[in-house]
């Protein structure tokens, strides 16, 4: 039996959840802090291995635990008083991140003869599962768990390292890398702090970015996009609550950023048409990565080059902890190094680019006025940089703006069986992307023109507006039509594409084993089935009168071929006048946050003093998902690839501004 797990969504999100790759050279060449001579001599020897308390029954033992993408299974070989080796015999963890975490932890456990080692930042679930699997094996060997799980004291615990730079960049995602490279190439001494083990962040989870012009586009015969046209549409969508100065700079710099990225080793192509059918002609500037799983590697290589060419320093697994503020000015950063030391870095400029707060569920829930969404982005992004800025007196802006961009069907990842990937995908995900069905909220009321499913931002926003979830309704006749003939036979007029998958809703051939898999979802309690609308409402906890009224009107309109409520395409009004009925519970995936710190047109972080027009905090800058102002209170659907385009463009602009501040010179990227 093939076991298909929760990794299903990871292959198809516009910001794929599997986009992280590491590079051996990054691990071999990354800078490690050196402890100051003033550090206490008493700390020496703290990391030594003590095997006196270890006792095992010699042999090889097997342990397993559930990781992020499936079971992690290990074989642990022990002697009577030591852990000799650990071999991972089964794992489907994310390539370039999860597998690197397992590799790193294998060495840590064996070298320290302990389970009390720290997990790898950015791969917490994988780390915990690996250690749990090793613990299970060592328990079979008769190991003393109390002794084995004692915390390992790090080599330089309690020591302080003094460093200095012109520019410190907090975060090594798309914005942080762009900022660091821009700063270094314009003469600044740069230090980069990254809390995880690799570069890339949310950007490495993405499918592509917006650019208004490029060599790649011109090779297709495309003229540069009219950025003034995009600007007007953008500001209209945002009701002029976005910062026009930031929007204009973003769009204008996007005329050069694709070529800049190509020159720095990022590999992509210009799409001939928009990925999402809803985007209108004249707005397609989508540049798609040739292989999104390589983006992390390519961004890491950009950093490695400025280490080699410009004497920059990059510290991985080294989260920034606080800003150093003196007399109202930011003068540096403190950070926690992997070896246990504290880095105290003096800097002339600091750029916050730590990737937003998608992984902080409480912070997201508060920003959305109590609505919960699924954190489908980079879970290590928990608002560190935003909170550091707030502690320094910064103003917030647009915290509710999220890249809510796809749906999750309850039960996705929990159905097992001898199925092909697409068979499972269609039953547990594609069913949420069919415009011919009615969407109802938890009260049984239809709330949207379901044709907006062709735009991920609009459709996701519509569900968020109703609370934590909504229900998408089918009847058995429709499921069988899809299974036997495909979506066109049921009235659907155009396919749905999703990231690297050109068609997730087959139009002209059947959705194999659809009813069988949906039946398993019903048996598992994920999908609710009932013979009548009244019974369905009762099982869902709805007022039966509401759902009955909703479906009576929907079916009447479907019979007439017209949507009298929301104006949906009449051909998409599929009549469901007979049961059995099925209710799929659908919630929203949040790929990243795109609001946070308020900045001005110079990418300076500003104080929370609106009465003074928001004055700047000297020497503090921000970029990417940590910043607010590009949006009002929601992610824009005007163009595809906006969030990633903003990451690169804002990073370049913040890097130029911070370097100009540090070195006392003007760097104008828009007129170079």
């Amino acid at each position: 039996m093939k076991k298909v797990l929760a990794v299903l969504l990871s292959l198809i999100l516009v910001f794929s959840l599997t986009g992280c790759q590491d590079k051996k050279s990054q691990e071999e060449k990354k800078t490690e802090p050196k402890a100051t001579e003033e550090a206490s001599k008493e700390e020496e020897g703290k990391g030594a291995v003590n095997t006196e308390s270890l006792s095992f029954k010699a042999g090889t033992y097997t342990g397993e635990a559930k990781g992020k993408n499936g079971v992690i299974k290990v074989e642990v070989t022990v002697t009577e008083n030591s852990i000799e080796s650990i071999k991972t015999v089964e794992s489907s963890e994310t390539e370039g991140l999860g597998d690197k975490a397992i590799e790193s932890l294998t060495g840590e456990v064996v070298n320290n003869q302990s389970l009390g080692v720290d997990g790898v930042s950015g791969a917490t679930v994988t780390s915990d599962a690996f250690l749990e699997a090793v613990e299970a094996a060592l328990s079979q060997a008769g190991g003393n768990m109390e002794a084995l799980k004692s915390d390992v004291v790090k080599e330089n615990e309690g020591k302080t390292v003094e460093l200095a730079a012109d520019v410190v960049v907090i975060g090594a995602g798309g914005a942080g890398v762009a900022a660091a490279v821009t700063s270094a190439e314009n003469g600044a001494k740069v230090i980069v702090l990254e809390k995880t083990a690799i570069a890339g962040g949310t950007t490495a989870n993405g499918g592509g970015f917006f650019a208004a012009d490029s060599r790649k586009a011109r090779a297709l015969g495309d003229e540069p996009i009219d950025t003034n046209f995009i600007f007007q549409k953008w500001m209209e969508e945002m009701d002029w609550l976005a910062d026009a100065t930031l929007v204009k700079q973003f769009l204008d710099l996007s005329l050069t950023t694709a070529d800049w990225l190509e020159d720095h080793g990022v590999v992509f192509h210009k799409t001939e048409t928009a990925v999402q059918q809803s985007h209108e002609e004249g707005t397609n500037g989508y540049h798609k990565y040739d292989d999104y799983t390589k983006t992390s590697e390519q961004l890491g290589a950009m950093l490695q080059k400025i280490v080699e060419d410009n004497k920059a320093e990059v510290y991985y697994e080294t989260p920034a902890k606080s800003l150093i503020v003196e007399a109202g000015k930011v003068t540096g950063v403190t950070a926690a190094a992997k070896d246990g030391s504290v880095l105290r870095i003096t800097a002339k400029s600091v750029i916050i680019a730590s990737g937003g707060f998608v992984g902080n569920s409480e912070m997201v829930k508060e920003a959305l006025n109590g609505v919960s969404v699924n954190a489908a982005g980079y879970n290590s992004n928990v608002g560190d940089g935003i909170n550091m800025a707030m502690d320094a007196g910064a103003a917030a802006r647009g915290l509710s703006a999220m890249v809510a961009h796809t749906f999750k069907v309850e039960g996705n990842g929990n159905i097992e069986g001898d199925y092909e990937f697409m068979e499972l995908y269609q039953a547990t995900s594609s069913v949420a992307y069919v415009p011919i069905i009615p969407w109802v909220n938890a009260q049984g009321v239809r709330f949207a023109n379901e044709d907006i499913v062709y735009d991920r931002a609009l459709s996701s926003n519509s569900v968020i507006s109703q609370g934590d979830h909504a229900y998408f309704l089918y009847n058995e006749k429709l499921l069988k039509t899809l299974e036997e003939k495909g979506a066109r036979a049921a009235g659907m007029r155009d396919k749905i594409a999703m990231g690297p998958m050109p068609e997730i809703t087959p139009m002209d051939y059947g959705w194999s084993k659809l009813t069988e898999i949906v039946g398993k979802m019903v048996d598992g309690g994920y999908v609710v089935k009932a013979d009548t609308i009244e019974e369905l409402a009762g099982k869902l906890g709805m007022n039966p009168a509401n759902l009955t009224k909703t479906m009576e009107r929907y079916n009447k309109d479907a019979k007439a071929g017209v949507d009298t409520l929301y104006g949906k395409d009449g051909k998409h009004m599929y009549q469901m006048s007979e049961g059995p009925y099925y209710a799929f519970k659908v919630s929203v995936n949040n790929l990243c946050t795109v609001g946070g710190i308020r900045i001005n047109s110079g990418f300076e972080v500003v104080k929370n003093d609106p009465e003074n027009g928001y004055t700047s905090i000297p020497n503090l800058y921000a970029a990417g998902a940590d910043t607010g102002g590009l949006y009002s209170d929601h992610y824009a659907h005007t163009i595809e690839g906006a969030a990633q385009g903003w990451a690169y463009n804002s990073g370049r602009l913040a890097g130029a501004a911070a370097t100009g501040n540090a070195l006392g010179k003007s760097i104008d990227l828009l007129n170079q």
Side-chain angles (χ1 to χ4, degrees), residues 331-378:
T331 59
V333 182
T334 66
K338 184 180 178 181
D339 67 357
S341 62
V342 174
L343 306 187
R344 183 177 174 85
I345 310 169
T346 301
K348 297 174 183 176
S349 296
V350 174
I351 302 173
I352 296 175
S354 61
F357 58 98
V358 67
N360 189 328
S361 59
E362 288 305 313
M363 198 170 169
V364 169
K365 186 175 180 179
E366 182 179 355
L368 292 177
N369 297 312
V371 175
S372 293
V373 291
N374 308 304
Y378 214 56

Side-chain angles (χ1 to χ4, degrees), residues 434-456:
V434 178
I436 59 179
I437 58 172
W439 302 352
V440 299
N441 61 24
Q443 308 306 315
V445 176
R446 184 172 171 234
F447 60 87
N449 174 339
E450 294 84 3
D451 282 339
I452 61 173
V453 76
Y454 286 101
D455 187 294
R456 253 76 84 191

Side-chain angles (χ1 to χ4, degrees), residues 94-127:
T94 304
E95 183 182 356
L97 182 58
D99 58 348
K100 294 296 181 182
I102 290 173
E103 180 182 340
S104 175
L105 288 171
T106 297
E108 291 280 334
V109 172
V110 174
N111 292 338
N112 290 285
Q113 296 290 295
S114 174
L115 294 170
V117 297
D118 288 344
V120 175
S121 296
T124 303
V125 175
T126 299
S127 298

Side-chain angles (χ1 to χ4, degrees), residues 553-586:
R553 179 168 184 173
Y554 191 84
N555 286 326
K556 181 180 179 181
D557 284 356
K559 186 176 182 179
V562 59
D563 181 6
T564 61
L565 187 58
Y566 296 125
K568 182 165 74 172
D569 184 339
K571 292 186 180 298
H572 284 171
M573 297 295 291
Y574 183 89
Q575 189 174 357
M576 295 188 196
S577 56
E578 59 186 67
Y581 297 96
Y582 297 80
F584 291 78
K585 188 176 183 180
V586 175

